[in-house]
Amino acid sequence: PMAERQERVLVFTQFRSMTQPLARHLATVFGREGLLLHGGTPVARRQKLVDEFQQDDGPPFFVISLKAGGTGLNLTAASHVIHFDRWWNPAVENQATDRAYRIGQKRNVLVHKFVCQGTFEERIDKLLRDKQALADDVLGGEVAKSLTELDGGELLALLRLDAARALDG
């Protein structure tokens, strides 16, 4: 459906070795080549790849290794973000997703996270959801705060030891 609607997609993987096979597969799905960025991509080439993707008639997909593309890229031409495999830290995935949510974004962006039932990835997904829920609870739910924005009482509540729970079990 993405290919038929000529929608553009960012695909993040934590494994550099997956970038090439994903790009080959997506080229058959979209009927044309896309782009590829990983830690081995020369720094001078990275901005050229971004500029190419951002063109109105740019490539339909951009496969990016998570660590190479997690920060500093403006990729608002995408209307889909796919996390092909999950990373342990939700902040890392969120930073990667934010590549499509930059100033100048004019379209809705759908985020897809691939998880196979009964696998290690499913356990990572649960861990990530639990971590995100904890962060939301600790840092204020709907209005997230950084630790530097907490007042004294909020900081003490965060760091206070619940001795009864700590000694129970």
Side-chain angles (χ1 to χ4, degrees):
M2 289 179 216
E4 293 169 10
R5 291 190 301 265
Q6 297 182 344
E7 295 174 322
R8 314 268 290 288
V9 62
L10 301 176
V11 180
F12 289 98
T13 176
Q14 63 178 310
F15 301 107
R16 176 181 171 174
S17 61
M18 281 303 300
T19 57
Q20 191 62 254
L22 281 169
R24 277 195 306 270
H25 175 71
L26 289 170
T28 63
V29 170
F30 282 91
R32 63 187 271 221
E33 294 295 317
L35 300 173
L36 175 59
L37 173 74
H38 53 66
T41 305
V43 174
R45 173 109 174 92
R46 292 177 187 219
Q47 189 57 51
K48 289 179 180 141
L49 291 171
V50 169
D51 293 344
E52 187 177 343
F53 186 75
Q54 289 295 104
Q55 297 297 316
D56 287 339
D57 61 346
F61 64 87
F62 200 162
V63 178
I64 305 170
S65 69
L66 196 57
K67 289 184 181 178
T71 59
L73 303 177
N74 184 359
L75 299 166
T76 56
S79 54
H80 292 271
V81 174
I82 296 174
H83 291 281
F84 182 74
D85 41 47
R86 307 302 306 275
W87 185 242
W88 295 92
N89 185 343
V92 172
E93 284 189 350
N94 293 342
Q95 285 177 336
T97 297
D98 286 348
R99 302 310 96 215
Y101 288 105
R102 309 300 282 179
I103 293 170
Q105 179 56 274
K106 293 177 175 56
R107 51 183 69 74
N108 292 325
V109 178
L110 296 174
V111 179
H112 312 271
K113 297 178 180 183
F114 289 3
V115 178
C116 293
Q117 290 182 341
T119 65
F120 183 63
E121 301 255 302
E122 185 178 41
R123 290 188 290 282
I124 290 174
D125 182 64
K126 181 180 181 330
L127 175 70
L128 289 172
R129 283 186 280 116
D130 292 348
K131 280 184 171 184
Q132 189 64 58
L134 177 62
D136 291 345
D137 288 346
V138 168
L139 299 178
E142 294 180 26
V143 182
K145 293 182 179 180
S146 75
L147 288 176
T148 59
E149 295 173 317
L150 296 176
D151 66 32
E154 290 170 319
L155 191 55
L156 283 173
L158 172 63
L159 299 174
R160 184 174 296 123
L161 173 66
D162 183 343
R165 289 190 65 209
L167 296 173
D168 183 38

